Amino acid sequence: MEFIGKIFVMAIAAIFVQNFVLMRFLGLCPYIGVSKKLDSAIGMGMAVIFVMTMASTFTWLIQSYLLIPLKLEFLQTIAFILTIASLVQLVEMIIQKLAPALYKALGVYLPLITTNCAVLGVAILNINENYSFIEAILNGLFGGVGFTLVLILMAGIREKLEKAELPRAMKGMPIAMIVAGSMALAFLGFSGLKL
Amino acid sequence: MIKEFTKGFIKENPVFVMALGLCPTLAVSSSVMNAIGMGLAATFVLVCSNIMISLIKNFVPNKIHIPAYIVVIASFVTIVDMVMEAYVPALHKSLGLFIPLIVVNCIILGRAEAFAGKNNVFKSMLDGLGMGLGFTLALSVIATIREILGAGQFLGMQVLPTSYKPMLVAILAPGAFIVMGLLMGAMKLKKKK
Amino acid sequence: MSYFLKLGFVLLVITVIASGILAYVNSLTEPIILENQRKAKAEARLEVLPEAATFDSIGTFNAENVFAGKDADGNLVGYVFLASLYGYSSDVKSMVGVNKDLIVNKIKVISQTETPGLGANCIKPEFQAQFSDKGLGEMKVNKDGGPIISITGATITTRTITNSIKNGLLELEKLIPAEAETSEEVTK
């Protein structure tokens, strides 16, 4: 029971209180870039959840069983980014073989994920915060869910914005930023939550 | 030649015009000190990796361009990380996570792929320097606005009378997005004219 | 096949060269980093308990040594410990100096990355000064009915520092009896 409670706390913290996009500023490029259409936002979100969970798992193992025993902590950044890049490649190949339908939906987003800083960010955060193996995986999973949530919300708003009358200069990117600001303001309300 | 250097300041400013490298831009622009530190760290990585990549571009087969570039970039980032921790520990601490994340800053990989992989060493160096300083400039502008509005300070010094009640939201996450959005709009308006 | 071998080989060479360079830079910077950290802690200890000439470890708290500070003649003048808790967005660590009766002498926040303009104001001397001359019973924020006035807009950070000091004082109480007995023996 206590374990379930802990999972719940981690979920709320990673999804709302410390939302990767709005509070930690991670993964902004896809957040602004892939939020024009709802369909693509959902696809990107799912791909990110998947890769963030996998990346958390593997980078934690590499840090604990390879880099620390060999005293190679200074190679952390290189090791992590290479792990993520190969992971993304691998995931791409596996999905293509096993689930062609899923590949069709996610395929175009997968290569973009390597340079999504939320992925490398969660891997480094897990190490900095001394998370255990299970905590690291959950942090990756819920971090991804939080990312997807705000991405989908944003896409919903932007689809409506298309039809709104705006000053020409504010169209597109600038108004997206302002909307993101308002969302961040709303999410700030969660930050008083001390779990 | 000069054009390679100055294009990054305004015309092709990586942040305002190309909307690259948004994460560090918004995250570390809550104080001018952080913004300058981050800008210079990224500039160093950009210049070094641009030089290195234009040197090795002929030896690296096409298929593994990206992984090879990433290794080069990650190495320079790690060097910056270690050197900063040794000599400016306070700044290193407040930038924290965003130093290793320079690796995935799209500006750097973007310039490597779009420019350094195709041009000679000298031009690549100028391009890196220009883009890096453009990035630093953009960060500093945002940070100046946020620090003055949100804390009444500039570089930690009080510039507004203490009776000014700081607009805290400017320094928090929402302020970052809103200031950024307004500045982008202003840039677009200027371009239209 | 040989093409793929070549690809792998080129990548391997690049990675090996990069690792070599990094290992070299690391060997240069690591001692400086460790020395900086050691120095910063030693300076902070002296700042929060200036009467002390020597510091002897009497146990550990938060995986850091708790020190008993003694003056030049070997008389106990107080204790120093590192208080640390997770605040709003980072671990907030402060060096705390207390006198023999466990009343806080001075605190110094030595590491934090709280929100600039809000929580980060905890490094201001005016804020840190209000912990001086307070004991365990007074380690409470004004919102919870105590005497510590919280930073505007940063109750969490204030509460974190206050609680971290409270935890440290409680731990110190447990550590001291053993220490007190031994020092008594010395005076006999």
PDB file of all heavy atoms in Angstrom, chain B residues 29-59:
ATOM      1  N   SER B  29      17.405  32.375 -18.196  1.00  0.00           N
ATOM      2  CA  SER B  29      17.366  33.822 -18.375  1.00  0.00           C
ATOM      3  C   SER B  29      16.701  34.534 -17.220  1.00  0.00           C
ATOM      4  O   SER B  29      16.224  35.640 -17.366  1.00  0.00           O
ATOM      5  CB  SER B  29      16.667  34.173 -19.688  1.00  0.00           C
ATOM      6  OG  SER B  29      15.344  33.725 -19.656  1.00  0.00           O
ATOM      7  N   SER B  30      16.678  33.922 -16.030  1.00  0.00           N
ATOM      8  CA  SER B  30      16.061  34.620 -14.906  1.00  0.00           C
ATOM      9  C   SER B  30      17.039  35.618 -14.288  1.00  0.00           C
ATOM     10  O   SER B  30      16.631  36.481 -13.539  1.00  0.00           O
ATOM     11  CB  SER B  30      15.556  33.631 -13.859  1.00  0.00           C
ATOM     12  OG  SER B  30      16.575  32.763 -13.492  1.00  0.00           O
ATOM     13  N   SER B  31      18.322  35.493 -14.572  1.00  0.00           N
ATOM     14  CA  SER B  31      19.245  36.541 -14.152  1.00  0.00           C
ATOM     15  C   SER B  31      20.292  36.750 -15.242  1.00  0.00           C
ATOM     16  O   SER B  31      20.648  35.822 -15.967  1.00  0.00           O
ATOM     17  CB  SER B  31      19.919  36.185 -12.825  1.00  0.00           C
ATOM     18  OG  SER B  31      20.986  35.317 -13.036  1.00  0.00           O
ATOM     19  N   VAL B  32      20.768  37.997 -15.356  1.00  0.00           N
ATOM     20  CA  VAL B  32      21.684  38.347 -16.448  1.00  0.00           C
ATOM     21  C   VAL B  32      22.991  37.570 -16.321  1.00  0.00           C
ATOM     22  O   VAL B  32      23.572  37.105 -17.302  1.00  0.00           O
ATOM     23  CB  VAL B  32      21.950  39.865 -16.458  1.00  0.00           C
ATOM     24  CG1 VAL B  32      22.888  40.240 -17.584  1.00  0.00           C
ATOM     25  CG2 VAL B  32      20.640  40.615 -16.610  1.00  0.00           C
ATOM     26  N   MET B  33      23.432  37.391 -15.079  1.00  0.00           N
ATOM     27  CA  MET B  33      24.676  36.648 -14.834  1.00  0.00           C
ATOM     28  C   MET B  33      24.585  35.243 -15.434  1.00  0.00           C
ATOM     29  O   MET B  33      25.473  34.809 -16.168  1.00  0.00           O
ATOM     30  CB  MET B  33      24.876  36.566 -13.313  1.00  0.00           C
ATOM     31  CG  MET B  33      26.260  36.185 -12.897  1.00  0.00           C
ATOM     32  SD  MET B  33      27.430  37.425 -13.430  1.00  0.00           S
ATOM     33  CE  MET B  33      28.867  36.409 -13.564  1.00  0.00           C
ATOM     34  N   ASN B  34      23.519  34.521 -15.106  1.00  0.00           N
ATOM     35  CA  ASN B  34      23.325  33.179 -15.646  1.00  0.00           C
ATOM     36  C   ASN B  34      23.281  33.201 -17.160  1.00  0.00           C
ATOM     37  O   ASN B  34      23.832  32.325 -17.824  1.00  0.00           O
ATOM     38  CB  ASN B  34      22.006  32.579 -15.140  1.00  0.00           C
ATOM     39  CG  ASN B  34      22.110  32.132 -13.704  1.00  0.00           C
ATOM     40  OD1 ASN B  34      23.175  32.203 -13.116  1.00  0.00           O
ATOM     41  ND2 ASN B  34      21.004  31.678 -13.149  1.00  0.00           N
ATOM     42  N   ALA B  35      22.580  34.197 -17.707  1.00  0.00           N
ATOM     43  CA  ALA B  35      22.411  34.267 -19.154  1.00  0.00           C
ATOM     44  C   ALA B  35      23.759  34.419 -19.840  1.00  0.00           C
ATOM     45  O   ALA B  35      24.057  33.716 -20.811  1.00  0.00           O
ATOM     46  CB  ALA B  35      21.504  35.436 -19.512  1.00  0.00           C
ATOM     47  N   ILE B  36      24.607  35.304 -19.315  1.00  0.00           N
ATOM     48  CA  ILE B  36      25.905  35.519 -19.942  1.00  0.00           C
ATOM     49  C   ILE B  36      26.765  34.260 -19.796  1.00  0.00           C
ATOM     50  O   ILE B  36      27.416  33.809 -20.747  1.00  0.00           O
ATOM     51  CB  ILE B  36      26.608  36.745 -19.327  1.00  0.00           C
ATOM     52  CG1 ILE B  36      25.799  38.009 -19.686  1.00  0.00           C
ATOM     53  CG2 ILE B  36      28.028  36.873 -19.834  1.00  0.00           C
ATOM     54  CD1 ILE B  36      26.333  39.268 -19.063  1.00  0.00           C
ATOM     55  N   GLY B  37      26.722  33.664 -18.608  1.00  0.00           N
ATOM     56  CA  GLY B  37      27.502  32.444 -18.389  1.00  0.00           C
ATOM     57  C   GLY B  37      27.108  31.358 -19.365  1.00  0.00           C
ATOM     58  O   GLY B  37      27.953  30.726 -20.005  1.00  0.00           O
ATOM     59  N   MET B  38      25.809  31.148 -19.497  1.00  0.00           N
ATOM     60  CA  MET B  38      25.308  30.129 -20.398  1.00  0.00           C
ATOM     61  C   MET B  38      25.672  30.459 -21.840  1.00  0.00           C
ATOM     62  O   MET B  38      26.120  29.593 -22.594  1.00  0.00           O
ATOM     63  CB  MET B  38      23.790  30.034 -20.251  1.00  0.00           C
ATOM     64  CG  MET B  38      23.149  29.041 -21.175  1.00  0.00           C
ATOM     65  SD  MET B  38      24.023  27.496 -21.037  1.00  0.00           S
ATOM     66  CE  MET B  38      22.750  26.369 -20.967  1.00  0.00           C
ATOM     67  N   GLY B  39      25.507  31.731 -22.219  1.00  0.00           N
ATOM     68  CA  GLY B  39      25.801  32.145 -23.588  1.00  0.00           C
ATOM     69  C   GLY B  39      27.255  31.887 -23.941  1.00  0.00           C
ATOM     70  O   GLY B  39      27.564  31.335 -24.999  1.00  0.00           O
ATOM     71  N   LEU B  40      28.155  32.246 -23.024  1.00  0.00           N
ATOM     72  CA  LEU B  40      29.572  32.070 -23.329  1.00  0.00           C
ATOM     73  C   LEU B  40      29.945  30.584 -23.366  1.00  0.00           C
ATOM     74  O   LEU B  40      30.736  30.162 -24.219  1.00  0.00           O
ATOM     75  CB  LEU B  40      30.431  32.831 -22.310  1.00  0.00           C
ATOM     76  CG  LEU B  40      30.279  34.351 -22.388  1.00  0.00           C
ATOM     77  CD1 LEU B  40      31.221  35.037 -21.403  1.00  0.00           C
ATOM     78  CD2 LEU B  40      30.538  34.869 -23.808  1.00  0.00           C
ATOM     79  N   ALA B  41      29.374  29.804 -22.460  1.00  0.00           N
ATOM     80  CA  ALA B  41      29.660  28.366 -22.473  1.00  0.00           C
ATOM     81  C   ALA B  41      29.229  27.760 -23.803  1.00  0.00           C
ATOM     82  O   ALA B  41      29.974  27.006 -24.435  1.00  0.00           O
ATOM     83  CB  ALA B  41      28.944  27.669 -21.311  1.00  0.00           C
ATOM     84  N   ALA B  42      28.020  28.142 -24.252  1.00  0.00           N
ATOM     85  CA  ALA B  42      27.525  27.601 -25.520  1.00  0.00           C
ATOM     86  C   ALA B  42      28.367  28.112 -26.685  1.00  0.00           C
ATOM     87  O   ALA B  42      28.639  27.363 -27.632  1.00  0.00           O
ATOM     88  CB  ALA B  42      26.064  27.976 -25.713  1.00  0.00           C
ATOM     89  N   THR B  43      28.813  29.375 -26.614  1.00  0.00           N
ATOM     90  CA  THR B  43      29.650  29.924 -27.680  1.00  0.00           C
ATOM     91  C   THR B  43      30.951  29.136 -27.795  1.00  0.00           C
ATOM     92  O   THR B  43      31.390  28.776 -28.887  1.00  0.00           O
ATOM     93  CB  THR B  43      29.981  31.402 -27.401  1.00  0.00           C
ATOM     94  OG1 THR B  43      28.762  32.099 -27.193  1.00  0.00           O
ATOM     95  CG2 THR B  43      30.727  32.018 -28.566  1.00  0.00           C
ATOM     96  N   PHE B  44      31.559  28.866 -26.647  1.00  0.00           N
ATOM     97  CA  PHE B  44      32.801  28.088 -26.655  1.00  0.00           C
ATOM     98  C   PHE B  44      32.579  26.737 -27.338  1.00  0.00           C
ATOM     99  O   PHE B  44      33.336  26.346 -28.229  1.00  0.00           O
ATOM    100  CB  PHE B  44      33.289  27.887 -25.219  1.00  0.00           C
ATOM    101  CG  PHE B  44      34.480  26.982 -25.115  1.00  0.00           C
ATOM    102  CD1 PHE B  44      35.754  27.460 -25.365  1.00  0.00           C
ATOM    103  CD2 PHE B  44      34.322  25.643 -24.784  1.00  0.00           C
ATOM    104  CE1 PHE B  44      36.850  26.612 -25.290  1.00  0.00           C
ATOM    105  CE2 PHE B  44      35.412  24.792 -24.704  1.00  0.00           C
ATOM    106  CZ  PHE B  44      36.680  25.277 -24.957  1.00  0.00           C
ATOM    107  N   VAL B  45      31.513  26.046 -26.936  1.00  0.00           N
ATOM    108  CA  VAL B  45      31.239  24.735 -27.525  1.00  0.00           C
ATOM    109  C   VAL B  45      30.984  24.871 -29.023  1.00  0.00           C
ATOM    110  O   VAL B  45      31.489  24.081 -29.829  1.00  0.00           O
ATOM    111  CB  VAL B  45      30.033  24.067 -26.829  1.00  0.00           C
ATOM    112  CG1 VAL B  45      29.688  22.764 -27.528  1.00  0.00           C
ATOM    113  CG2 VAL B  45      30.330  23.821 -25.377  1.00  0.00           C
ATOM    114  N   LEU B  46      30.228  25.901 -29.400  1.00  0.00           N
ATOM    115  CA  LEU B  46      29.906  26.102 -30.821  1.00  0.00           C
ATOM    116  C   LEU B  46      31.166  26.326 -31.652  1.00  0.00           C
ATOM    117  O   LEU B  46      31.346  25.706 -32.701  1.00  0.00           O
ATOM    118  CB  LEU B  46      29.008  27.330 -30.957  1.00  0.00           C
ATOM    119  CG  LEU B  46      27.591  27.129 -31.465  1.00  0.00           C
ATOM    120  CD1 LEU B  46      26.804  28.396 -31.271  1.00  0.00           C
ATOM    121  CD2 LEU B  46      27.576  26.712 -32.903  1.00  0.00           C
ATOM    122  N   VAL B  47      32.028  27.219 -31.187  1.00  0.00           N
ATOM    123  CA  VAL B  47      33.240  27.527 -31.940  1.00  0.00           C
ATOM    124  C   VAL B  47      34.115  26.281 -32.044  1.00  0.00           C
ATOM    125  O   VAL B  47      34.535  25.880 -33.139  1.00  0.00           O
ATOM    126  CB  VAL B  47      34.015  28.686 -31.268  1.00  0.00           C
ATOM    127  CG1 VAL B  47      35.372  28.873 -31.926  1.00  0.00           C
ATOM    128  CG2 VAL B  47      33.207  29.962 -31.358  1.00  0.00           C
ATOM    129  N   CYS B  48      34.367  25.629 -30.899  1.00  0.00           N
ATOM    130  CA  CYS B  48      35.249  24.462 -30.915  1.00  0.00           C
ATOM    131  C   CYS B  48      34.683  23.345 -31.777  1.00  0.00           C
ATOM    132  O   CYS B  48      35.396  22.739 -32.575  1.00  0.00           O
ATOM    133  CB  CYS B  48      35.463  23.938 -29.499  1.00  0.00           C
ATOM    134  SG  CYS B  48      36.416  25.053 -28.502  1.00  0.00           S
ATOM    135  N   SER B  49      33.385  23.063 -31.606  1.00  0.00           N
ATOM    136  CA  SER B  49      32.851  21.931 -32.356  1.00  0.00           C
ATOM    137  C   SER B  49      32.764  22.275 -33.843  1.00  0.00           C
ATOM    138  O   SER B  49      33.007  21.415 -34.683  1.00  0.00           O
ATOM    139  CB  SER B  49      31.502  21.482 -31.799  1.00  0.00           C
ATOM    140  OG  SER B  49      30.574  22.509 -31.879  1.00  0.00           O
ATOM    141  N   ASN B  50      32.471  23.529 -34.175  1.00  0.00           N
ATOM    142  CA  ASN B  50      32.464  23.916 -35.585  1.00  0.00           C
ATOM    143  C   ASN B  50      33.851  23.735 -36.202  1.00  0.00           C
ATOM    144  O   ASN B  50      33.988  23.207 -37.311  1.00  0.00           O
ATOM    145  CB  ASN B  50      32.017  25.375 -35.732  1.00  0.00           C
ATOM    146  CG  ASN B  50      30.563  25.491 -36.135  1.00  0.00           C
ATOM    147  OD1 ASN B  50      29.848  24.495 -36.145  1.00  0.00           O
ATOM    148  ND2 ASN B  50      30.128  26.677 -36.470  1.00  0.00           N
ATOM    149  N   ILE B  51      34.902  24.163 -35.500  1.00  0.00           N
ATOM    150  CA  ILE B  51      36.267  24.005 -36.010  1.00  0.00           C
ATOM    151  C   ILE B  51      36.576  22.521 -36.192  1.00  0.00           C
ATOM    152  O   ILE B  51      37.007  22.073 -37.258  1.00  0.00           O
ATOM    153  CB  ILE B  51      37.282  24.639 -35.028  1.00  0.00           C
ATOM    154  CG1 ILE B  51      37.125  26.154 -35.010  1.00  0.00           C
ATOM    155  CG2 ILE B  51      38.711  24.260 -35.419  1.00  0.00           C
ATOM    156  CD1 ILE B  51      38.010  26.852 -34.007  1.00  0.00           C
ATOM    157  N   MET B  52      36.330  21.748 -35.123  1.00  0.00           N
ATOM    158  CA  MET B  52      36.657  20.335 -35.146  1.00  0.00           C
ATOM    159  C   MET B  52      35.922  19.616 -36.264  1.00  0.00           C
ATOM    160  O   MET B  52      36.505  18.819 -37.004  1.00  0.00           O
ATOM    161  CB  MET B  52      36.283  19.747 -33.777  1.00  0.00           C
ATOM    162  CG  MET B  52      36.882  18.402 -33.509  1.00  0.00           C
ATOM    163  SD  MET B  52      38.643  18.465 -33.800  1.00  0.00           S
ATOM    164  CE  MET B  52      39.239  18.055 -32.219  1.00  0.00           C
ATOM    165  N   ILE B  53      34.640  19.927 -36.396  1.00  0.00           N
ATOM    166  CA  ILE B  53      33.836  19.201 -37.381  1.00  0.00           C
ATOM    167  C   ILE B  53      34.249  19.553 -38.802  1.00  0.00           C
ATOM    168  O   ILE B  53      34.327  18.676 -39.664  1.00  0.00           O
ATOM    169  CB  ILE B  53      32.340  19.472 -37.119  1.00  0.00           C
ATOM    170  CG1 ILE B  53      31.900  18.638 -35.920  1.00  0.00           C
ATOM    171  CG2 ILE B  53      31.494  19.114 -38.343  1.00  0.00           C
ATOM    172  CD1 ILE B  53      30.636  19.068 -35.280  1.00  0.00           C
ATOM    173  N   SER B  54      34.597  20.822 -39.039  1.00  0.00           N
ATOM    174  CA  SER B  54      35.012  21.136 -40.403  1.00  0.00           C
ATOM    175  C   SER B  54      36.385  20.525 -40.698  1.00  0.00           C
ATOM    176  O   SER B  54      36.724  20.275 -41.852  1.00  0.00           O
ATOM    177  CB  SER B  54      34.990  22.643 -40.646  1.00  0.00           C
ATOM    178  OG  SER B  54      36.060  23.253 -40.000  1.00  0.00           O
ATOM    179  N   LEU B  55      37.158  20.234 -39.642  1.00  0.00           N
ATOM    180  CA  LEU B  55      38.441  19.551 -39.851  1.00  0.00           C
ATOM    181  C   LEU B  55      38.254  18.081 -40.203  1.00  0.00           C
ATOM    182  O   LEU B  55      38.951  17.541 -41.058  1.00  0.00           O
ATOM    183  CB  LEU B  55      39.313  19.657 -38.592  1.00  0.00           C
ATOM    184  CG  LEU B  55      40.067  20.956 -38.360  1.00  0.00           C
ATOM    185  CD1 LEU B  55      40.771  20.928 -37.011  1.00  0.00           C
ATOM    186  CD2 LEU B  55      41.082  21.187 -39.468  1.00  0.00           C
ATOM    187  N   ILE B  56      37.321  17.428 -39.492  1.00  0.00           N
ATOM    188  CA  ILE B  56      37.200  15.980 -39.681  1.00  0.00           C
ATOM    189  C   ILE B  56      36.152  15.592 -40.709  1.00  0.00           C
ATOM    190  O   ILE B  56      35.975  14.417 -40.996  1.00  0.00           O
ATOM    191  CB  ILE B  56      36.875  15.249 -38.342  1.00  0.00           C
ATOM    192  CG1 ILE B  56      35.529  15.693 -37.782  1.00  0.00           C
ATOM    193  CG2 ILE B  56      37.988  15.467 -37.325  1.00  0.00           C
ATOM    194  CD1 ILE B  56      35.033  14.806 -36.665  1.00  0.00           C
ATOM    195  N   LYS B  57      35.453  16.581 -41.289  1.00  0.00           N
ATOM    196  CA  LYS B  57      34.295  16.222 -42.107  1.00  0.00           C
ATOM    197  C   LYS B  57      34.643  15.291 -43.278  1.00  0.00           C
ATOM    198  O   LYS B  57      33.829  14.471 -43.682  1.00  0.00           O
ATOM    199  CB  LYS B  57      33.586  17.480 -42.625  1.00  0.00           C
ATOM    200  CG  LYS B  57      34.423  18.361 -43.540  1.00  0.00           C
ATOM    201  CD  LYS B  57      33.562  19.484 -44.108  1.00  0.00           C
ATOM    202  CE  LYS B  57      34.289  20.299 -45.142  1.00  0.00           C
ATOM    203  NZ  LYS B  57      35.274  21.249 -44.598  1.00  0.00           N
ATOM    204  N   ASN B  58      35.883  15.382 -43.773  1.00  0.00           N
ATOM    205  CA  ASN B  58      36.233  14.547 -44.922  1.00  0.00           C
ATOM    206  C   ASN B  58      36.561  13.100 -44.540  1.00  0.00           C
ATOM    207  O   ASN B  58      36.575  12.223 -45.387  1.00  0.00           O
ATOM    208  CB  ASN B  58      37.413  15.158 -45.668  1.00  0.00           C
ATOM    209  CG  ASN B  58      37.038  16.484 -46.295  1.00  0.00           C
ATOM    210  OD1 ASN B  58      35.864  16.680 -46.656  1.00  0.00           O
ATOM    211  ND2 ASN B  58      37.993  17.401 -46.391  1.00  0.00           N
ATOM    212  N   PHE B  59      36.865  12.877 -43.276  1.00  0.00           N
ATOM    213  CA  PHE B  59      37.217  11.518 -42.857  1.00  0.00           C
ATOM    214  C   PHE B  59      36.000  10.734 -42.396  1.00  0.00           C
ATOM    215  O   PHE B  59      36.067   9.524 -42.252  1.00  0.00           O
ATOM    216  CB  PHE B  59      38.239  11.562 -41.722  1.00  0.00           C
ATOM    217  CG  PHE B  59      39.467  12.346 -42.064  1.00  0.00           C
ATOM    218  CD1 PHE B  59      39.672  13.612 -41.538  1.00  0.00           C
ATOM    219  CD2 PHE B  59      40.400  11.823 -42.959  1.00  0.00           C
ATOM    220  CE1 PHE B  59      40.793  14.345 -41.881  1.00  0.00           C
ATOM    221  CE2 PHE B  59      41.521  12.552 -43.300  1.00  0.00           C
ATOM    222  CZ  PHE B  59      41.717  13.823 -42.763  1.00  0.00           C
TER     223      PHE B  59
END
